Amino acid sequence: MTIRKIQKIFAGVLTVSVLTASLFGGSALASETETVSETTTEAASEAGSEESTGTRTIVDHTGAEVVLPEKIERVVISSILPLPSVYCLFRGSADDIVGIHPSSMAAAENSYLINVFPEIANADTSFVENGEVNIEQLLALKPDVVFYSANNTDEREMYDNAGIPAVGFSTSMSDYDCVETYADWIQLLGDIYGEQATANEIIAEGRSVAEEIKSVTSTISDEDKPKVLILFNYADGVIKTSGSNFFGQYWIETAGGINVAADLSGTPEINMEQVYEWDPDIIFITNFSPYQPDDLYNNTIDGDDWSNVTAVKNQQVYKFPLGMYRWFPPASDTPLVLKWLATKIQPDLFKDMDMAQEIKDYYEKYYNVTLTDEDLQKIYNPVSAASGVK
């Protein structure tokens, strides 16, 4: 059942509920407590006031009340890089997006997102210069609202000063649990657009997958878990991994592995001596890094010798796929990421999981597209340009 069908059914149920209340609710409503009556009256008054001014108020992930226009037709998504894909999943369109971050565009142009939502290519990226928002150029886009990373307090202050409604989306409020962070974003979009049925369906899918994977991996002993290293951002001689307090920890632990960088926090810089000490069994390279597994297998990266690392010797180096967005942070393909990682980290336990079919079914259900085997190969083998690294 598609999201849109769910919405229609939800609307029908709501209509029936209203009719039932009008037919049978006379005496029952009269017996409601005074407190409830006062609360309802107050809420109705506030709703009426907002309706009369053409606005409505939501609470974002910073805890701030944000007054939004009743109709949102021009959206800028700034520092929350994966959100364009989640927005497209939720809204079923990118028509309202007038601006996104250049890094988001680099991912979009080299992913499947632009095939399903080609209008994303029309979004402006020039309002971000050297990684910073140029407020004058952003204002020129005439946004009704800006979606940004809730952790970026300076950015929020800039929007407040400019009088632009800004909604903060948090990456950390669920302790870097990727599925719950994804759920947080979907829930907030549901609040913004008043589409809770859509939000609930998407959230339920992610949580169901997490429970499915955890039911298997939670029983694995540490002795049967491989040591895993994530090369989060590796370019120009700098190696950054994913330690605790970041998404890699959740992915690895939930999929049945041990994060070799768990004693470090965030996205710390490491060197080859540290890699040799850890000697990981499996290495994953994100799409924030331009390197491919062959670069490690062929030992072609200047200054770094990977030839004696166990994961390289055993050909256990994998590039994260690139579907609707880079498969590392929470994004619209998050449930698929967890399944894919489980098949790589614990292949024997998930040997019956057909990832090709899983991806095809998910894309059919949520994006209404039928993937070919050629499409799958592109998702599995993302180009280096998707990193956005020049």
Side-chain angles (χ1 to χ4, degrees), residues 15 36 60 70 163 199 209 255 273 304 312 328-329 336 347 372 375 377:
T15 301
V36 172
D60 73 2
E70 187 176 3
V209 169
E273 285 68 29
D304 295 335
V312 175
F328 176 74
L336 293 174
T372 66
D375 293 329
Q377 286 308 306

Side-chain angles (χ1 to χ4, degrees), residues 20-258:
T20 302
S22 66
L23 290 171
F24 304 106
S27 60
L29 288 174
S31 67
E32 291 294 324
T33 65
E34 183 177 344
T35 301
V36 172
S37 177
E38 290 175 354
T39 302
T40 304
T41 302
E42 182 180 348
S45 176
E46 290 178 358
S49 176
E50 290 197 349
E51 184 177 341
S52 66
T53 59
T55 63
R56 53 201 175 82
T57 302
I58 60 97
V59 178
D60 73 2
H61 290 163
T62 70
E65 292 187 350
V66 184
V67 179
L68 300 172
E70 187 176 3
K71 281 191 175 183
I72 298 175
E73 298 177 333
R74 298 181 66 80
V75 176
V76 170
I77 303 175
S78 61
S79 51
I80 189 78
L81 304 185
L83 194 65
S85 71
V86 180
Y87 180 94
C88 289
L89 165 68
F90 185 83
R91 299 288 289 161
S93 170
D95 285 337
D96 293 343
I97 300 178
V98 297
I100 63 174
H101 194 285
S103 182
S104 298
M105 184 64 81
E109 289 175 339
N110 291 285
S111 72
Y112 204 78
L113 184 70
I114 205 162
N115 294 343
V116 183
F117 305 102
E119 61 272 21
I120 196 75
N122 298 325
D124 188 273
T125 62
S126 65
F127 69 94
V128 177
E129 299 175 342
N130 300 316
E132 300 293 332
V133 172
N134 181 311
I135 193 63
E136 287 78 15
Q137 295 204 34
L138 187 144
L139 285 169
L141 298 177
K142 299 180 180 179
D144 295 319
V145 64
V146 176
F147 299 152
Y148 75 103
S149 173
N151 297 355
N152 197 330
T153 55
D154 290 341
E155 193 174 344
R156 176 55 175 266
E157 184 178 356
M158 177 171 57
Y159 298 139
D160 286 346
N161 290 338
I164 306 172
V167 179
F169 287 74
S170 176
T171 58
S172 59
M173 65 185 290
S174 289
D175 295 325
Y176 298 104
D177 178 319
C178 298
V179 169
E180 287 306 311
T181 301
Y182 166 72
D184 293 337
W185 296 354
I186 294 294
Q187 184 66 58
L188 186 50
L189 287 170
D191 293 342
I192 291 166
Y193 290 98
E195 298 178 9
Q196 292 306 326
T198 302
N200 291 341
E201 182 197 357
I202 299 171
I203 290 169
E205 172 82 10
R207 288 175 175 164
S208 175
V209 169
E211 289 305 311
E212 176 188 356
I213 301 302
K214 287 177 183 177
S215 69
V216 177
T217 59
S218 62
T219 64
I220 304 171
S221 66
D222 286 347
E223 292 75 17
D224 294 326
K225 294 178 180 178
K227 296 182 297 178
V228 181
L229 170 67
I230 289 179
L231 297 178
F232 168 64
N233 196 326
Y234 183 17
D236 301 322
V238 175
I239 309 173
K240 290 187 177 182
T241 187
S242 178
S244 58
N245 301 311
F246 204 57
F247 301 121
Q249 184 72 20
Y250 171 83
W251 287 134
I252 295 170
E253 281 190 344
T254 309
I258 295 174

Side-chain angles (χ1 to χ4, degrees), residues 240-292:
K240 290 187 177 182
T241 187
S242 178
S244 58
N245 301 311
F246 204 57
F247 301 121
Q249 184 72 20
Y250 171 83
W251 287 134
I252 295 170
E253 281 190 344
T254 309
I258 295 174
N259 183 9
V260 295
D263 289 339
L264 305 178
S265 182
T267 57
E269 184 175 339
I270 60 173
N271 54 37
M272 287 307 299
E273 285 68 29
Q274 180 66 77
V275 175
Y276 299 149
E277 182 180 336
W278 286 331
D279 194 24
D281 302 304
I282 300 173
I283 294 174
F284 292 102
I285 308 173
T286 80
N287 281 290
F288 293 100
S289 301
Y291 294 124
Q292 303 286 346

